[in-house]
Amino acid sequence: MIGILNYRAGNLTSVSNALDRLGAEYIITDSIEELDKSDAILFPGVGHAASAMEDLRARGLDTWLKCTEKPVLGICLGMQLLFESTEEGNTETLGLLPGRLQKFDPKKGKVPHMGWNRFKILKDHPILTSIDGRHFLYYVHGYYAPTNKYTLASCNYISDFSAVVAKDNFMGVQFHPEKSGNIGSMLLQNFLDIIQDGGQN
Amino acid sequence: MLTKRIIPCLDIKDGRTVKGVNFVGLRDAGDPVELARRYSHEGADELVFLDITATKEKRKTLIELVTRIAREINIPFTVGGGIRTVDEIGDILKAGADKVSLNSAIVKNPQLITEASDRFGSQAIVAAVDAKRTGDSWEVFVKGGSEPTGIDALEWVEKVEALGAGEILLTSMDRDGTKSGFDIELLRQVNKRVSIPVIASGGAGQVDHCIEAVSAGNADAVLAASIFHFREIEISDLKKEMHLAKIPVRYPVV
Protein backbone atom coordinates (compact mmCIF):
# COMPACT_ATOMS: atom_id res chain seq x y z
CA MET A 1 0.00 0.00 0.00
CA ILE A 2 1.32 3.40 -1.04
CA GLY A 3 0.42 6.46 0.96
CA ILE A 4 -0.13 9.51 -1.25
CA LEU A 5 0.52 12.52 0.92
CA ASN A 6 -2.62 14.64 0.99
CA TYR A 7 -1.94 18.32 1.55
CA ARG A 8 -2.90 21.58 -0.07
CA ALA A 9 -0.24 21.56 -2.76
CA GLY A 10 -0.80 18.07 -4.11
CA ASN A 11 -1.77 17.24 -7.71
CA LEU A 12 -3.42 14.15 -6.30
CA THR A 13 -5.78 13.23 -9.12
CA SER A 14 -3.04 12.85 -11.72
CA VAL A 15 -0.83 10.83 -9.38
CA SER A 16 -3.63 8.53 -8.23
CA ASN A 17 -4.79 8.00 -11.83
CA ALA A 18 -1.23 7.01 -12.75
CA LEU A 19 -1.13 4.45 -9.91
CA ASP A 20 -4.53 3.12 -11.01
CA ARG A 21 -3.15 2.57 -14.50
CA LEU A 22 -0.31 0.53 -12.95
CA GLY A 23 -2.72 -1.43 -10.78
CA ALA A 24 -1.05 -0.26 -7.56
CA GLU A 25 -2.93 0.02 -4.29
CA TYR A 26 -2.83 3.35 -2.55
CA ILE A 27 -4.46 5.54 0.02
CA ILE A 28 -4.71 9.33 -0.15
CA THR A 29 -4.17 10.54 3.37
CA ASP A 30 -2.76 13.12 5.76
CA SER A 31 -3.25 10.84 8.77
CA ILE A 32 0.04 9.92 10.44
CA GLU A 33 -1.47 6.65 11.62
CA GLU A 34 -2.30 5.67 8.03
CA LEU A 35 1.06 6.86 6.74
CA ASP A 36 2.73 4.68 9.39
CA LYS A 37 0.89 1.67 7.94
CA SER A 38 1.89 2.45 4.33
CA ASP A 39 4.82 0.69 2.65
CA ALA A 40 6.00 3.79 0.83
CA ILE A 41 5.10 7.44 0.31
CA LEU A 42 4.36 9.44 -2.82
CA PHE A 43 4.91 13.12 -2.14
CA PRO A 44 3.46 15.15 -5.01
CA GLY A 45 3.30 18.90 -5.23
CA VAL A 46 2.46 21.90 -7.37
CA GLY A 47 2.20 25.57 -6.53
CA HIS A 48 4.09 27.75 -4.09
CA ALA A 49 6.76 26.34 -1.74
CA ALA A 50 5.88 28.63 1.18
CA SER A 51 2.20 27.69 1.33
CA ALA A 52 3.06 24.02 0.80
CA MET A 53 5.49 24.05 3.76
CA GLU A 54 3.00 25.95 5.87
CA ASP A 55 0.37 23.31 5.16
CA LEU A 56 2.77 20.40 5.85
CA ARG A 57 3.71 21.99 9.20
CA ALA A 58 0.08 22.62 10.13
CA ARG A 59 -0.61 18.89 9.65
CA GLY A 60 2.60 17.77 11.39
CA LEU A 61 3.69 16.07 8.17
CA ASP A 62 7.05 17.86 7.98
CA THR A 63 8.29 16.13 11.14
CA TRP A 64 6.87 12.80 10.05
CA LEU A 65 8.64 13.03 6.66
CA LYS A 66 11.97 13.97 8.25
CA CYS A 67 11.85 10.86 10.47
CA THR A 68 10.43 8.21 8.16
CA GLU A 69 12.54 5.32 6.92
CA LYS A 70 10.02 4.28 4.27
CA PRO A 71 10.81 4.85 0.59
CA VAL A 72 9.63 8.36 -0.35
CA LEU A 73 9.28 9.68 -3.90
CA GLY A 74 8.95 13.45 -4.19
CA ILE A 75 7.49 14.74 -7.44
CA CYS A 76 8.14 18.29 -8.75
CA LEU A 77 7.51 20.61 -5.76
CA GLY A 78 7.56 17.46 -3.58
CA MET A 79 11.15 16.86 -4.67
CA GLN A 80 12.06 20.53 -4.20
CA LEU A 81 10.80 20.48 -0.62
CA LEU A 82 13.28 17.69 0.21
CA PHE A 83 16.09 20.27 -0.04
CA GLU A 84 17.15 22.74 2.67
CA SER A 85 15.61 25.93 1.37
CA THR A 86 14.29 27.76 -1.68
CA GLU A 87 14.40 31.26 -3.07
CA GLU A 88 10.63 30.93 -3.61
CA GLY A 89 9.26 33.06 -0.80
CA ASN A 90 12.67 32.62 0.92
CA THR A 91 11.33 29.41 2.45
CA GLU A 92 13.04 26.93 4.72
CA THR A 93 12.15 23.43 3.50
CA LEU A 94 12.62 19.89 4.87
CA GLY A 95 16.43 19.75 4.75
CA LEU A 96 16.71 16.07 3.83
CA LEU A 97 19.04 16.95 0.96
CA PRO A 98 21.66 19.70 0.96
CA GLY A 99 21.15 22.76 -1.24
CA ARG A 100 18.97 25.76 -1.99
CA LEU A 101 16.51 26.02 -4.86
CA GLN A 102 17.11 28.92 -7.23
CA LYS A 103 14.85 30.77 -9.66
CA PHE A 104 15.50 30.46 -13.39
CA ASP A 105 16.65 33.80 -14.74
CA PRO A 106 13.83 35.09 -17.02
CA LYS A 107 16.39 37.20 -18.87
CA LYS A 108 18.00 34.00 -20.15
CA GLY A 109 14.90 32.07 -21.20
CA LYS A 110 11.18 31.51 -20.74
CA VAL A 111 10.11 30.81 -17.17
CA PRO A 112 8.67 28.36 -16.18
CA HIS A 113 10.68 25.61 -17.85
CA MET A 114 7.62 23.97 -19.39
CA GLY A 115 7.56 21.00 -21.71
CA TRP A 116 9.41 17.82 -22.64
CA ASN A 117 13.14 17.55 -21.99
CA ARG A 118 15.82 14.88 -21.66
CA PHE A 119 18.29 14.28 -18.87
CA LYS A 120 21.81 12.93 -18.49
CA ILE A 121 22.32 10.05 -16.08
CA LEU A 122 25.20 10.63 -13.63
CA LYS A 123 24.66 7.61 -11.36
CA ASP A 124 22.81 4.32 -11.69
CA HIS A 125 19.89 3.72 -9.38
CA PRO A 126 16.92 1.31 -9.41
CA ILE A 127 14.52 4.27 -9.88
CA LEU A 128 16.10 4.76 -13.34
CA THR A 129 15.92 1.14 -14.51
CA SER A 130 15.33 1.04 -18.31
CA ILE A 131 15.24 4.86 -18.54
CA ASP A 132 18.07 6.75 -20.18
CA GLY A 133 19.12 9.99 -21.82
CA ARG A 134 17.13 9.34 -25.00
CA HIS A 135 13.82 9.57 -23.20
CA PHE A 136 11.70 12.68 -22.81
CA LEU A 137 9.93 13.66 -19.61
CA TYR A 138 7.51 16.50 -18.90
CA TYR A 139 8.64 19.41 -16.71
CA VAL A 140 6.87 22.48 -15.33
CA HIS A 141 8.87 24.53 -12.82
CA GLY A 142 10.19 28.03 -12.23
CA TYR A 143 12.77 27.06 -9.55
CA TYR A 144 15.50 24.47 -9.86
CA ALA A 145 17.73 22.39 -7.61
CA PRO A 146 21.43 22.81 -8.40
CA THR A 147 23.23 19.52 -8.96
CA ASN A 148 25.10 17.96 -6.04
CA LYS A 149 26.50 14.57 -5.03
CA TYR A 150 22.97 13.16 -4.64
CA THR A 151 22.00 14.03 -8.22
CA LEU A 152 21.29 10.85 -10.20
CA ALA A 153 20.41 12.66 -13.44
CA SER A 154 20.83 16.26 -14.53
CA CYS A 155 18.72 18.18 -17.03
CA ASN A 156 19.76 21.33 -18.81
CA TYR A 157 17.57 24.40 -19.20
CA ILE A 158 19.30 27.77 -18.86
CA SER A 159 21.66 25.87 -16.53
CA ASP A 160 22.23 22.29 -15.34
CA PHE A 161 19.90 21.23 -12.56
CA SER A 162 18.91 18.09 -10.65
CA ALA A 163 16.27 16.10 -12.53
CA VAL A 164 16.47 12.99 -10.34
CA VAL A 165 17.93 12.81 -6.82
CA ALA A 166 18.28 10.12 -4.19
CA LYS A 167 19.66 9.97 -0.68
CA ASP A 168 19.01 6.97 1.57
CA ASN A 169 15.27 6.22 1.36
CA PHE A 170 14.41 9.59 -0.24
CA MET A 171 14.04 9.91 -4.00
CA GLY A 172 12.87 12.88 -5.99
CA VAL A 173 12.08 13.77 -9.59
CA GLN A 174 11.69 17.30 -10.92
CA PHE A 175 9.52 16.22 -13.86
CA HIS A 176 6.00 14.82 -13.67
CA PRO A 177 6.18 11.03 -14.22
CA GLU A 178 2.38 10.90 -14.00
CA LYS A 179 2.19 13.16 -17.07
CA SER A 180 5.20 11.86 -18.99
CA GLY A 181 3.55 9.18 -21.11
CA ASN A 182 4.87 5.62 -21.00
CA ILE A 183 8.36 6.62 -19.83
CA GLY A 184 6.85 8.33 -16.81
CA SER A 185 4.80 5.20 -16.06
CA MET A 186 8.01 3.18 -16.23
CA LEU A 187 9.61 5.39 -13.58
CA LEU A 188 6.62 4.95 -11.28
CA GLN A 189 6.78 1.19 -11.90
CA ASN A 190 10.48 1.32 -10.87
CA PHE A 191 9.39 2.94 -7.60
CA LEU A 192 6.82 0.15 -7.09
CA ASP A 193 9.56 -2.42 -7.75
CA ILE A 194 11.84 -0.76 -5.19
CA ILE A 195 9.05 -1.08 -2.61
CA GLN A 196 8.53 -4.72 -3.60
CA ASP A 197 12.25 -5.37 -3.15
CA GLY A 198 12.01 -4.13 0.41
CA GLY A 199 12.90 -0.50 -0.06
CA GLN A 200 16.60 -1.11 -0.64
CA ASN A 201 18.36 1.50 -2.73
CA MET B 1 17.26 20.75 -24.74
CA LEU B 2 13.67 21.78 -24.11
CA THR B 3 11.58 20.70 -27.09
CA LYS B 4 8.90 22.67 -28.90
CA ARG B 5 5.42 21.32 -28.26
CA ILE B 6 2.77 20.22 -30.76
CA ILE B 7 -0.70 20.63 -29.30
CA PRO B 8 -3.85 19.35 -31.02
CA CYS B 9 -6.99 21.22 -29.95
CA LEU B 10 -10.32 19.39 -29.61
CA ASP B 11 -13.60 21.28 -29.70
CA ILE B 12 -16.14 19.80 -27.32
CA LYS B 13 -19.92 20.20 -27.33
CA ASP B 14 -22.17 18.31 -24.89
CA GLY B 15 -19.31 15.97 -24.06
CA ARG B 16 -18.59 15.00 -27.70
CA THR B 17 -15.92 16.13 -30.13
CA VAL B 18 -17.25 18.35 -32.91
CA LYS B 19 -15.63 19.28 -36.18
CA GLY B 20 -16.49 22.20 -38.35
CA VAL B 21 -14.99 25.35 -39.77
CA ASN B 22 -15.38 28.34 -37.44
CA PHE B 23 -18.07 26.45 -35.53
CA VAL B 24 -20.25 26.45 -38.66
CA GLY B 25 -21.57 23.13 -39.93
CA LEU B 26 -20.67 21.28 -36.74
CA ARG B 27 -20.82 17.54 -36.92
CA ASP B 28 -20.24 14.91 -34.34
CA ALA B 29 -16.73 13.52 -34.52
CA GLY B 30 -16.93 11.00 -31.76
CA ASP B 31 -15.70 10.41 -28.26
CA PRO B 32 -13.10 12.99 -27.15
CA VAL B 33 -11.31 10.36 -25.09
CA GLU B 34 -10.83 8.15 -28.15
CA LEU B 35 -9.48 11.04 -30.20
CA ALA B 36 -7.27 12.17 -27.33
CA ARG B 37 -5.85 8.67 -27.05
CA ARG B 38 -5.13 8.64 -30.78
CA TYR B 39 -3.34 12.00 -30.64
CA SER B 40 -1.36 10.95 -27.59
CA HIS B 41 -0.34 7.73 -29.35
CA GLU B 42 0.70 9.68 -32.46
CA GLY B 43 3.06 11.85 -30.43
CA ALA B 44 1.08 14.91 -29.34
CA ASP B 45 2.95 16.68 -26.54
CA GLU B 46 -0.11 18.13 -24.84
CA LEU B 47 -3.82 18.46 -25.58
CA VAL B 48 -6.26 21.34 -25.35
CA PHE B 49 -10.00 20.75 -24.93
CA LEU B 50 -12.16 23.73 -25.75
CA ASP B 51 -15.74 23.40 -24.51
CA ILE B 52 -18.22 25.29 -26.68
CA THR B 53 -21.35 23.97 -24.94
CA ALA B 54 -23.74 26.77 -24.05
CA THR B 55 -26.33 24.90 -21.97
CA LYS B 56 -26.88 24.91 -18.22
CA GLU B 57 -25.83 21.28 -17.99
CA LYS B 58 -22.43 22.26 -19.35
CA ARG B 59 -20.45 22.16 -16.13
CA LYS B 60 -21.51 18.70 -14.99
CA THR B 61 -20.90 17.15 -18.42
CA LEU B 62 -17.52 18.84 -18.66
CA ILE B 63 -16.37 17.63 -15.24
CA GLU B 64 -17.39 14.08 -16.15
CA LEU B 65 -15.44 14.33 -19.37
CA VAL B 66 -12.33 15.78 -17.70
CA THR B 67 -12.45 12.93 -15.17
CA ARG B 68 -12.53 10.35 -17.98
CA ILE B 69 -9.74 12.03 -19.93
CA ALA B 70 -7.53 12.21 -16.85
CA ARG B 71 -7.99 8.49 -16.21
CA GLU B 72 -7.08 7.52 -19.74
CA ILE B 73 -4.47 10.02 -20.89
CA ASN B 74 -0.96 10.27 -19.43
CA ILE B 75 0.17 13.53 -21.05
CA PRO B 76 -0.71 17.05 -19.89
CA PHE B 77 -3.97 18.66 -20.95
CA THR B 78 -5.64 22.05 -20.73
CA VAL B 79 -9.38 22.73 -20.53
CA GLY B 80 -10.97 25.99 -21.64
CA GLY B 81 -14.25 27.53 -22.68
CA GLY B 82 -16.50 29.74 -20.60
CA ILE B 83 -14.69 29.22 -17.27
CA ARG B 84 -15.52 32.16 -14.98
CA THR B 85 -14.73 31.56 -11.32
CA VAL B 86 -11.97 30.27 -9.05
CA ASP B 87 -14.32 27.50 -7.90
CA GLU B 88 -14.94 26.34 -11.48
CA ILE B 89 -11.17 26.31 -12.07
CA GLY B 90 -10.72 24.28 -8.88
CA ASP B 91 -13.33 21.72 -9.97
CA ILE B 92 -11.70 21.23 -13.36
CA LEU B 93 -8.19 20.87 -11.91
CA LYS B 94 -9.46 18.52 -9.22
CA ALA B 95 -11.05 16.37 -11.92
CA GLY B 96 -7.55 15.94 -13.34
CA ALA B 97 -6.86 18.72 -15.85
CA ASP B 98 -3.34 20.20 -15.60
CA LYS B 99 -4.23 23.69 -16.73
CA VAL B 100 -7.24 25.83 -17.44
CA SER B 101 -7.42 28.36 -20.22
CA LEU B 102 -9.16 31.64 -19.40
CA ASN B 103 -10.33 34.17 -21.97
CA SER B 104 -13.41 36.38 -21.64
CA ALA B 105 -13.53 36.04 -17.83
CA ILE B 106 -10.05 37.56 -17.29
CA VAL B 107 -10.81 40.50 -19.56
CA LYS B 108 -13.86 41.23 -17.45
CA ASN B 109 -12.05 40.51 -14.17
CA PRO B 110 -8.23 40.51 -14.51
CA GLN B 111 -7.84 39.77 -10.77
CA LEU B 112 -9.15 36.27 -11.48
CA ILE B 113 -5.68 35.46 -12.87
CA THR B 114 -4.03 36.42 -9.58
CA GLU B 115 -6.61 34.69 -7.40
CA ALA B 116 -6.36 31.51 -9.45
CA SER B 117 -2.57 31.45 -9.72
CA ASP B 118 -2.17 32.13 -5.99
CA ARG B 119 -4.43 29.20 -5.24
CA PHE B 120 -3.39 26.66 -7.89
CA GLY B 121 0.03 27.88 -9.05
CA SER B 122 0.68 29.94 -12.17
CA GLN B 123 1.62 26.78 -14.12
CA ALA B 124 -2.10 25.88 -14.11
CA ILE B 125 -3.31 29.21 -15.50
CA VAL B 126 -3.22 29.80 -19.25
CA ALA B 127 -4.29 33.23 -20.51
CA ALA B 128 -5.99 32.79 -23.87
CA VAL B 129 -5.67 35.96 -25.93
CA ASP B 130 -7.68 36.37 -29.15
CA ALA B 131 -6.04 39.19 -31.11
CA LYS B 132 -7.19 40.93 -34.27
CA ARG B 133 -4.98 43.22 -36.30
CA THR B 134 -6.07 46.83 -36.74
CA GLY B 135 -3.45 48.75 -38.70
CA ASP B 136 -0.14 48.45 -36.87
CA SER B 137 -1.56 47.06 -33.66
CA TRP B 138 -3.72 44.21 -32.41
CA GLU B 139 -6.93 44.41 -30.42
CA VAL B 140 -8.16 41.83 -27.89
CA PHE B 141 -11.50 40.20 -28.75
CA VAL B 142 -13.68 38.11 -26.44
CA LYS B 143 -16.68 35.75 -26.64
CA GLY B 144 -15.18 33.53 -29.29
CA GLY B 145 -13.82 36.48 -31.24
CA SER B 146 -17.20 38.18 -31.66
CA GLU B 147 -16.75 41.13 -29.31
CA PRO B 148 -14.05 43.82 -29.48
CA THR B 149 -12.71 45.12 -26.15
CA GLY B 150 -10.65 48.17 -27.14
CA ILE B 151 -7.68 46.60 -25.29
CA ASP B 152 -4.29 46.59 -26.99
CA ALA B 153 -3.13 42.97 -27.23
CA LEU B 154 0.55 43.75 -26.60
CA GLU B 155 -0.26 45.69 -23.43
CA TRP B 156 -2.65 42.93 -22.39
CA VAL B 157 -0.05 40.12 -22.63
CA GLU B 158 2.31 42.08 -20.37
CA LYS B 159 -0.51 42.54 -17.92
CA VAL B 160 -1.57 38.89 -17.80
CA GLU B 161 2.04 37.89 -17.14
CA ALA B 162 2.34 40.45 -14.33
CA LEU B 163 -0.94 39.20 -12.82
CA GLY B 164 0.37 35.64 -12.64
CA ALA B 165 -0.51 33.74 -15.84
CA GLY B 166 1.91 30.86 -16.50
CA GLU B 167 1.47 30.67 -20.26
CA ILE B 168 -0.21 32.51 -23.13
CA LEU B 169 -2.37 30.87 -25.77
CA LEU B 170 -2.20 33.43 -28.53
CA THR B 171 -4.76 33.19 -31.32
CA SER B 172 -4.72 35.39 -34.38
CA MET B 173 -8.37 36.05 -35.23
CA ASP B 174 -7.32 37.14 -38.70
CA ARG B 175 -5.66 33.83 -39.45
CA ASP B 176 -7.91 31.46 -37.51
CA GLY B 177 -9.55 29.01 -39.91
CA THR B 178 -7.72 30.39 -42.96
CA LYS B 179 -4.86 27.85 -43.11
CA SER B 180 -2.69 30.68 -44.47
CA GLY B 181 -0.05 30.54 -41.74
CA PHE B 182 0.37 32.05 -38.27
CA ASP B 183 0.61 35.81 -37.72
CA ILE B 184 4.39 35.83 -37.28
CA GLU B 185 4.63 39.53 -36.52
CA LEU B 186 2.11 39.16 -33.69
CA LEU B 187 4.09 36.22 -32.26
CA ARG B 188 7.34 38.20 -32.45
CA GLN B 189 5.88 41.24 -30.77
CA VAL B 190 4.30 39.21 -27.98
CA ASN B 191 7.50 37.22 -27.40
CA LYS B 192 9.46 40.46 -27.09
CA ARG B 193 7.22 41.52 -24.24
CA VAL B 194 6.75 38.41 -22.10
CA SER B 195 9.03 35.78 -20.57
CA ILE B 196 6.36 33.09 -20.10
CA PRO B 197 5.79 30.43 -22.79
CA VAL B 198 3.64 31.38 -25.78
CA ILE B 199 1.50 28.91 -27.75
CA ALA B 200 0.89 29.94 -31.37
CA SER B 201 -2.67 29.42 -32.61
CA GLY B 202 -4.68 30.36 -35.67
CA GLY B 203 -3.66 29.75 -39.24
CA ALA B 204 -1.90 26.37 -39.33
CA GLY B 205 -2.35 24.85 -42.78
CA GLN B 206 1.00 23.35 -43.68
CA VAL B 207 4.11 21.97 -42.03
CA ASP B 208 6.06 25.10 -43.03
CA HIS B 209 3.65 27.29 -41.10
CA CYS B 210 4.44 25.44 -37.88
CA ILE B 211 8.19 25.66 -38.53
CA GLU B 212 7.88 29.39 -39.21
CA ALA B 213 5.88 29.98 -36.00
CA VAL B 214 8.77 28.54 -33.99
CA SER B 215 11.81 29.69 -35.97
CA ALA B 216 10.61 33.16 -36.99
CA GLY B 217 7.89 33.78 -34.40
CA ASN B 218 9.77 32.25 -31.41
CA ALA B 219 6.70 30.29 -30.36
CA ASP B 220 7.24 27.69 -27.63
CA ALA B 221 4.39 25.53 -28.86
CA VAL B 222 2.10 25.23 -31.86
CA LEU B 223 -1.62 24.54 -31.55
CA ALA B 224 -3.88 23.38 -34.36
CA ALA B 225 -7.26 21.72 -34.73
CA SER B 226 -8.51 20.95 -38.21
CA ILE B 227 -5.21 19.91 -39.82
CA PHE B 228 -4.96 17.12 -37.25
CA HIS B 229 -8.69 16.28 -37.14
CA PHE B 230 -8.90 15.87 -40.88
CA ARG B 231 -5.48 14.17 -41.00
CA GLU B 232 -4.14 16.76 -43.42
CA ILE B 233 -0.92 16.60 -41.43
CA GLU B 234 0.12 13.65 -39.29
CA ILE B 235 1.74 14.66 -36.01
CA SER B 236 4.62 12.24 -36.60
CA ASP B 237 5.33 13.74 -40.05
CA LEU B 238 5.18 17.27 -38.64
CA LYS B 239 7.70 16.35 -35.96
CA LYS B 240 10.00 14.76 -38.51
CA GLU B 241 9.95 17.87 -40.69
CA MET B 242 10.50 20.13 -37.68
CA HIS B 243 13.45 17.97 -36.64
CA LEU B 244 14.92 18.27 -40.16
CA ALA B 245 14.48 22.05 -39.85
CA LYS B 246 16.66 21.84 -36.69
CA ILE B 247 13.80 22.51 -34.30
CA PRO B 248 14.05 20.39 -31.13
CA VAL B 249 11.02 18.10 -30.85
CA ARG B 250 10.18 15.07 -28.80
CA TYR B 251 9.76 11.80 -30.60
CA PRO B 252 8.22 8.86 -28.97
CA VAL B 253 11.06 6.42 -28.21
CA VAL B 254 10.13 2.80 -28.74
Side-chain angles (χ1 to χ4, degrees):
Chain A
M1 178 73 77
I2 294 177
I4 302 179
L5 211 60
N6 184 12
Y7 69 118
R8 214 178 86 109
N11 50 340
L12 305 175
T13 314
S14 302
V15 170
S16 60
N17 279 334
L19 291 183
D20 280 332
R21 286 191 289 265
L22 294 171
E25 286 186 35
Y26 61 84
I27 182 169
I28 298 172
T29 183
D30 67 347
S31 140
I32 283 168
E33 196 179 319
E34 285 179 327
L35 291 171
D36 279 335
K37 285 188 214 150
S38 304
D39 300 312
I41 306 301
L42 259 183
F43 180 26
V46 293
H48 198 282
S51 57
M53 277 310 296
E54 201 177 298
D55 195 58
L56 286 175
R57 285 193 195 105
R59 296 172 199 237
L61 295 172
D62 59 327
T63 312
W64 189 87
L65 274 169
K66 284 183 206 175
C67 299
T68 188
E69 289 176 358
K70 298 173 192 289
V72 174
L73 178 63
I75 295 174
C76 195
L77 181 63
M79 162 196 155
Q80 298 195 347
L81 297 180
L82 299 177
F83 286 81
E84 286 170 306
S85 65
T86 170
E87 285 183 356
E88 189 174 27
N90 195 20
T91 308
E92 190 189 324
T93 45
L94 295 168
L96 293 157
L97 287 164
R100 180 173 173 80
L101 275 287
Q102 295 171 19
K103 191 176 185 359
F104 285 120
D105 184 351
K107 291 189 196 83
K108 293 182 182 163
K110 297 289 185 76
V111 180
H113 171 223
M114 181 186 281
W116 298 80
N117 207 334
R118 291 192 275 206
F119 57 51
K120 190 167 78 183
I121 292 186
L122 306 178
K123 271 184 215 168
D124 282 335
H125 189 281
I127 196 75
L128 292 172
T129 303
S130 305
I131 303 176
D132 62 47
R134 292 171 305 160
H135 297 123
F136 289 94
L137 294 140
Y138 188 84
Y139 294 79
V140 188
H141 58 124
Y143 293 79
Y144 67 95
T147 56
N148 65 27
K149 67 175 179 173
Y150 301 108
T151 306
L152 301 178
S154 69
C155 180
N156 183 274
Y157 181 71
I158 300 179
S159 56
D160 281 346
F161 65 86
S162 289
V164 186
V165 292
K167 181 180 183 247
D168 307 325
N169 54 317
F170 293 95
M171 289 156 267
V173 292
Q174 179 60 70
F175 47 83
H176 285 276
E178 76 281 12
K179 285 288 162 179
S180 292
N182 297 338
I183 306 301
S185 303
M186 210 186 286
L187 186 130
L188 291 172
Q189 183 61 54
N190 289 342
F191 183 61
L192 299 180
D193 292 345
I194 289 171
I195 303 165
Q196 201 71 41
D197 294 345
Q200 57 87 29
N201 47 66
Chain B
M1 183 182 274
L2 179 63
T3 54
K4 301 293 181 177
R5 289 169 282 152
I6 305 297
I7 308 178
C9 178
L10 293 82
D11 292 329
I12 306 295
K13 192 167 186 291
D14 302 321
R16 303 282 291 175
T17 314
V18 287
K19 289 178 184 173
V21 178
N22 296 337
F23 303 147
V24 178
L26 291 180
R27 61 188 169 89
D28 188 281
D31 180 8
V33 180
E34 286 300 316
L35 189 56
R37 199 185 284 129
R38 185 192 112 197
Y39 284 147
S40 173
H41 182 71
E42 289 171 0
D45 297 309
E46 282 186 40
L47 300 167
V48 168
F49 297 85
L50 184 63
D51 188 31
I52 58 171
T53 314
T55 60
K56 272 188 261 172
E57 292 299 306
K58 174 191 175 104
R59 199 162 154 192
K60 189 165 161 266
T61 318
L62 182 61
I63 295 297
E64 283 168 6
L65 176 63
V66 172
T67 304
R68 282 182 58 219
I69 295 165
R71 280 194 195 128
E72 296 284 327
I73 303 300
N74 58 12
I75 60 170
F77 69 95
T78 302
V79 174
I83 300 165
R84 284 185 178 77
T85 66
V86 172
D87 285 345
E88 280 178 272
I89 295 168
D91 288 346
I92 289 169
L93 295 177
K94 201 176 169 199
D98 301 283
K99 316 177 197 179
V100 292
S101 158
L102 305 171
N103 189 339
S104 305
I106 54 173
V107 172
K108 202 172 167 192
N109 172 24
Q111 282 310 313
L112 177 61
I113 301 174
T114 311
E115 285 168 36
S117 62
D118 281 351
R119 184 146 146 207
F120 309 111
S122 59
Q123 84 294 331
I125 308 304
V126 181
V129 178
D130 292 350
K132 193 167 185 174
R133 197 188 274 258
T134 49
D136 290 336
S137 60
W138 290 266
E139 183 181 354
V140 175
F141 276 64
V142 290
K143 305 209 168 139
S146 64
E147 201 176 296
T149 63
I151 298 169
D152 180 81
L154 302 181
E155 288 173 16
W156 179 237
V157 294
E158 286 182 356
K159 189 168 173 186
V160 299
E161 177 178 24
L163 288 170
E167 195 171 26
I168 290 169
L169 169 52
L170 181 66
T171 302
S172 160
M173 299 306 303
D174 307 287
R175 301 299 178 90
D176 202 27
T178 65
K179 299 195 180 174
S180 62
F182 295 91
D183 186 338
I184 299 300
E185 191 54 30
L186 173 64
L187 279 167
R188 271 199 191 130
Q189 294 294 337
V190 168
N191 272 307
K192 264 190 211 165
R193 283 166 174 80
V194 299
S195 65
I196 51 179
V198 175
I199 305 168
S201 159
Q206 300 164 20
V207 167
D208 286 349
H209 295 154
C210 300
I211 293 174
E212 200 188 16
V214 172
S215 57
N218 298 320
D220 299 283
V222 176
L223 178 137
S226 59
I227 56 165
F228 299 133
H229 285 169
F230 297 109
R231 289 188 180 265
E232 290 162 25
I233 299 176
E234 297 281 344
I235 295 168
S236 54
D237 291 337
L238 174 58
K239 288 197 160 184
K240 192 172 146 196
E241 293 298 324
M242 289 177 84
H243 174 72
L244 290 172
K246 308 255 187 284
I247 292 171
V249 287
R250 156 190 174 252
Y251 322 91
V253 179
V254 276

